[in-house]
Structure formats: structure tokens, C-alpha cells
Amino acid sequence: MIKVDLEQGIVSVEEGGRTITHRLDTAEAFNVISDVWLRAGWDNKYVYSFTWLGRPIIQLPEDMFRLQELIHSLRPDVIVETGVAHGGALVFYASLCKAMDHGRVIGVDIEIRPHNRAAIESHILAPLITLIEGSSIDPVVIDRVRSEIRPGERVLVLLDSRHAKDHVLAELAAYSPLVASGSYIVAMDGIMEKVVGGPRTEPDWSWNNPRQAALEFVAAHPGFTIEEPPFLFNEGNVNERVTYWPSAFIKRV
């Protein structure tokens, strides 16, 4: 049980017959409240309420802000995203490429619905976006993605398609060779294991999720490690992301 007392400025957590209390001006209190907020946000479909330059973007805003920091620092030549949906994330990445005057975006999805394709292809940032339709783990599709990348280009890969563990592991095996030392492949939406029992969830999400795929992949591939990109600016107490993507950032070392 979690209790927040605004008058006293504390949050109390009851666990195993004991109560742990944190002052609200501590990172520990922020983390407790953030976990509750994330679960409430999931239950209320909070992420289904944003757009970016006219296209729906089904992501937590903080995740996109933090990813923007990485993209600005890394300056990838190509950003590959599996999972297109409405195209908002592709437009977000393309807008960063446009602002930096550097980079382009490849979006892969097993089905790009006609109205979404039309909206993306008519967008002002369409010249920076390449769409590839097909399963992200189909060898033909993987070869098509590779053909769009020139030798020596720095690639950032973002996995946001089917979130089953086996599928994400197959994506990690297929796309990690595109990632050079110092760059990342990101396994999104590991939040699944934290929201089991909530709306739109399945019992097996406790293990069948991208986070577990990331952990298993890194354990089997010593050339990769899960490494959080550092905060580029921080004058506060909080030093961890509020995120739908725990243990997501897999760096090639």
C-alpha cells in the first residue's frame, strides 16, 4: 500500500509488514510516485493522447525527450524504427534530422495502413522518411533495410513492433549487426512486465516482453551492454528516467 501525505510532505510504502517513509523532496519518493503514475497512465491509455507535427505518436513524452538527447549527441546517419503505426515517431525522428541538418529515417511495419501511408508520404518531412512494408524479421525485409544504408553510416535502431520476447530477440539478432561501436539498439516497451493485471495485458507479460529479450540478448552477446544514456543536464535530485522502456538501451561496446 502507498500513502501520500501532502501536508507532511511524505510518501509511505507498506511492504512485508513494515512501513518505509520517504520525504517528497527525495529521489526515492519520486520513484515510488512515478511507478504509480506509470501504472495509472497505462490503465487510462495516457500515451494515446499525443501528436507530433500532425501525426499520432503513441509514446511517453519523457521517453521521446530522452531519446532526442541521445539522437542529438549520437548524430546518426540513419534511424531505423520497426513498428510504424500512425507514423508519429517517424515524423518525430525526421524532424530532429531536419533540425540537425543530418540523417534520415527508415520505418518498417508488417502492415502500413493506406491512410497512414498517405499521411506519412504527404507530410512535409516525407523526403527524409523511407517506408518498408513487411515483417521486421523477414530476411527479404532485413536485406531491404541493409540496402538503404551506405557503408560507414552510423545507425541507430529502435524496436517498436511486435513486443513478444521471441520476436524482439529475432529483431535484436537481425538488426544489431547494423549498429557500430558506440551506437544503440533500443528494445522499447519493457513496461509490459510492470503492468500485468491491468487493462489490455496478458499474464505471460511478466516474462514475455522486450526487457527480458534485451537482458537475454546482452547475456549472450558480450559485445553489447545495457547502458542508460546519461542525463545531459540535471540540476535536480532525480537521475532515472520515468519510462515505458526499462533496460531498453543496448549499446554496442
Side-chain angles (χ1 to χ4, degrees):
M1 180 181 294
I2 297 171
K3 297 180 180 179
V4 178
D5 188 327
L6 296 179
E7 289 186 1
Q8 296 189 48
I10 60 172
V11 57
S12 301
V13 183
E14 295 182 12
E15 292 182 349
R18 65 191 187 112
T19 300
I20 302 172
T21 300
H22 305 290
R23 285 173 31 187
L24 289 181
D25 61 354
T26 64
E28 291 79 7
F30 183 84
N31 289 341
V32 169
I33 295 169
S34 294
D35 284 344
V36 175
W37 181 82
L38 284 169
R39 171 58 191 268
W42 174 274
D43 289 4
N44 289 282
K45 299 181 72 173
Y46 173 64
V47 296
Y48 290 79
S49 64
F50 300 98
T51 63
W52 186 263
L53 298 182
R55 298 305 303 152
I57 179 169
I58 305 171
Q59 297 289 358
L60 200 65
E62 176 159 343
D63 281 327
M64 303 310 287
F65 246 86
R66 299 298 180 191
L67 185 56
Q68 169 272 144
E69 293 180 343
L70 177 63
I71 291 170
H72 183 255
S73 299
L74 194 63
R75 292 182 63 82
D77 300 293
V78 184
I79 301 170
V80 177
E81 182 184 52
T82 65
V84 169
H86 300 279
L90 294 180
V91 172
F92 177 83
Y93 310 135
S95 70
L96 298 179
C97 294
K98 182 71 173 179
M100 296 187 299
D101 194 24
H102 183 85
R104 63 190 188 280
V105 184
I106 300 171
V108 181
D109 202 302
I110 194 167
E111 180 188 9
I112 303 174
R113 295 178 179 177
H115 64 283
N116 288 328
R117 177 183 288 276
I120 296 167
E121 291 181 342
S122 64
H123 198 277
I124 191 172
L125 293 171
L128 295 175
I129 300 172
T130 297
L131 294 175
I132 298 175
E133 188 163 6
S135 170
S136 59
I137 58 174
D138 183 332
V140 174
V141 170
I142 296 165
D143 286 344
R144 172 76 191 283
V145 172
R146 288 180 182 144
S147 73
E148 295 286 339
I149 300 169
R150 294 185 283 270
E153 288 191 313
R154 172 167 284 197
V155 180
L156 171 67
V157 179
L158 309 170
L159 305 179
D160 191 25
S161 61
R162 183 167 171 257
H163 296 309
K165 179 183 174 183
D166 286 350
H167 184 84
V168 177
L169 278 169
E171 287 185 317
L172 288 167
Y175 293 94
S176 58
L178 301 177
V179 177
S181 178
S183 190
Y184 289 79
I185 182 167
V186 185
M188 298 172 168
D189 284 334
I191 187 70
M192 290 166 61
E193 72 177 33
K194 289 188 173 185
V195 295
V196 173
R200 310 178 311 284
T201 68
E202 298 293 337
D204 70 351
W205 282 15
S206 60
W207 61 267
N208 189 16
N209 62 70
R211 180 175 179 272
Q212 294 302 317
L215 294 173
E216 185 171 316
F217 176 81
V218 167
H221 296 80
F224 292 85
T225 186
I226 294 175
E227 181 176 314
E228 285 286 317
F231 284 16
L232 300 183
F233 172 79
N234 189 4
E235 293 184 349
N237 297 329
V238 176
N239 53 23
E240 296 180 7
R241 291 179 297 125
V242 179
T243 184
Y244 269 29
W245 311 342
S247 304
F249 286 86
I250 302 170
K251 185 177 183 179
R252 185 161 201 164
V253 294

